[in-house]
Amino acid sequence: METITLTHSHFLSILQLASPALPVGAYGYSEGLEMLVENGTINNTNSLKHWIEAELKYGSIRIDAVVMIRALEAAKIGNLEGLQRWNLWLSAVRDAEELRAASWQMGRSLIQLLSKLAPETVPLATAVGYPCNYAIAFGIACAHWQINTHAALLAYLHSWVNNLITAGVKLIPLGQTAGQELLLGLQTLLNITMSEILTLEDDNLACCSWGLSLASMQHETQYTRLFRS
């Protein structure tokens, strides 16, 4: 297992970025989970665990995570063209309007927050242009606070998993303890996913997320909704 070394300030910075309390609106999205619960595809801890595991192994979160790392690397060296290119690429590969809108909204919110917390990042955000995807904004933030690449990636994946589990706890519903047991049980897969993502070359970026896309698109017409997507 990769050893990650962080200074106290870097550790606190990545905790803040990955916190569920970060005001970017992540809590408002279920990524199609709400529809999957309604149609019975996900109805207990095991089915939620299976869904999250499949997404970590094959889903679009892997693409988002790769792009976040590319953005972090580009921001570190001031590669504005690289930031612009990856932002446009990520917007283009979205196969559901709802997922793209969520990424843009969270990206916009994080950029606005960074303009207050770290005004030095404004030129990079401006260079990216509007709309900015969340993965790009997260990478810019990590580069600014000099977060270790492995730590940034693990935190990004962990915050995504935590958000889906929180949504599942509300929707299925599950107990808070069951949610925490599920989160703990996914630690090994999170580390494996991190290692795999770090080895992906640009020409090998691919995912299988048609189930997520269909659930997200169907969610738009769901009769009652707690979440935005």
Side-chain angles (χ1 to χ4, degrees):
M1 183 181 296
E2 182 73 26
T3 299
I4 300 174
T5 302
L6 295 172
T7 66
H8 288 171
S9 62
H10 293 163
F11 180 63
L12 291 173
S13 294
I14 197 61
L15 282 179
Q16 184 172 359
L17 273 176
S19 170
L22 195 72
V24 296
Y27 62 87
Y29 299 103
S30 74
E31 298 198 20
L33 193 62
E34 190 164 19
M35 172 54 69
L36 295 168
V37 171
E38 178 167 299
N39 66 24
T41 300
I42 295 177
N43 55 20
N44 55 35
T45 303
N46 287 335
S47 54
L48 177 59
K49 180 175 182 286
H50 177 74
W51 177 265
I52 294 175
E53 287 177 338
E55 287 299 303
L56 285 171
K57 292 176 182 178
Y58 314 111
S60 61
I61 182 58
R62 297 171 67 91
I63 301 299
D64 286 60
V66 168
V67 171
M68 188 277 291
I69 292 300
R70 298 296 191 270
L72 189 160
E73 294 168 343
K76 277 184 177 180
I77 61 175
N79 181 1
L80 304 183
E81 187 276 332
L83 284 171
Q84 294 171 341
R85 176 166 52 84
W86 281 112
N87 186 56
L88 291 171
W89 185 88
L90 188 56
S91 294
V93 298
R94 300 290 184 194
D95 48 4
E97 180 182 0
E98 293 76 19
L99 296 173
R100 184 176 60 191
S103 179
W104 285 352
Q105 180 274 305
M106 290 175 59
R108 179 176 66 253
S109 296
L110 182 51
I111 289 298
Q112 290 173 346
L113 180 63
L114 288 175
S115 70
K116 303 296 184 182
L117 302 180
E120 303 90 336
T121 63
V122 170
L124 288 175
T126 302
V128 170
Y130 176 83
C132 177
N133 285 283
Y134 179 65
I136 300 294
F138 195 97
I140 290 174
C142 289
H144 173 74
W145 280 306
Q146 300 177 349
I147 304 299
N148 175 283
T149 300
H150 293 72
L153 179 53
L154 196 56
Y156 188 84
L157 293 171
H158 187 274
S159 65
W160 176 84
V161 168
N162 191 42
N163 188 64
L164 278 192
I165 290 176
T166 300
V169 166
K170 296 176 182 177
L171 291 166
I172 292 173
L174 301 175
Q176 296 289 341
T177 300
Q180 290 303 306
E181 289 174 340
L182 177 53
L183 184 60
L184 183 64
L186 288 167
Q187 284 189 1
T188 298
L189 180 57
L190 280 169
N191 279 294
I192 292 172
T193 304
M194 176 192 70
S195 299
E196 292 175 349
I197 287 173
L198 287 170
T199 66
L200 289 175
E201 301 292 338
D202 292 354
D203 290 340
N204 296 325
L205 300 186
C207 67
C208 179
S209 59
W210 56 268
L212 167 64
S213 300
L214 288 174
S216 181
M217 287 185 282
Q218 291 168 3
H219 184 265
E220 181 182 7
T221 57
Q222 190 170 337
Y223 182 67
T224 58
R225 298 188 302 176
L226 296 177
F227 294 86
R228 298 176 64 180
S229 78

